[in-house]
Amino acid sequence: MPGHLHDLSCARELGVTGALNWAAAELELPALADAGYEGAGLGIKTPTRQPADGKPLAVANRTVNRLLLPRL
């Protein structure tokens, strides 16, 4: 979309987030996205932030982060 719109705003306006949330709910097919899509809905998985208290992330959260943020 033209202009300086945030990716999530564009995705919502175009119905992409709705389609991804539907696919997650009906087809059990969650979508993986970057941190810019935080708050997009339950079907869109974004990286989990490191806790402020310094405790390590749970294995499941580290696994999702590894899929979303591969090291080059």
Side-chain angles (χ1 to χ4, degrees):
M1 296 182 70
H4 297 283
L5 297 175
H6 190 273
D7 289 351
L8 182 54
S9 299
C10 294
R12 284 186 173 142
E13 188 171 326
L14 295 172
V16 173
T17 55
L20 293 174
N21 285 313
W22 176 88
E26 297 296 321
L27 305 175
E28 297 180 15
L29 184 65
L32 303 179
D34 64 20
Y37 286 84
E38 189 173 316
L42 296 175
I44 301 173
K45 303 295 182 193
T46 58
T48 302
R49 296 177 187 218
Q50 182 70 30
D53 61 8
K55 292 182 181 177
L57 290 174
V59 172
N61 291 334
R62 287 193 313 247
T63 302
V64 171
N65 283 358
R66 193 64 176 258
L67 290 169
L68 296 170
L69 306 167
R71 295 181 183 170
L72 299 175

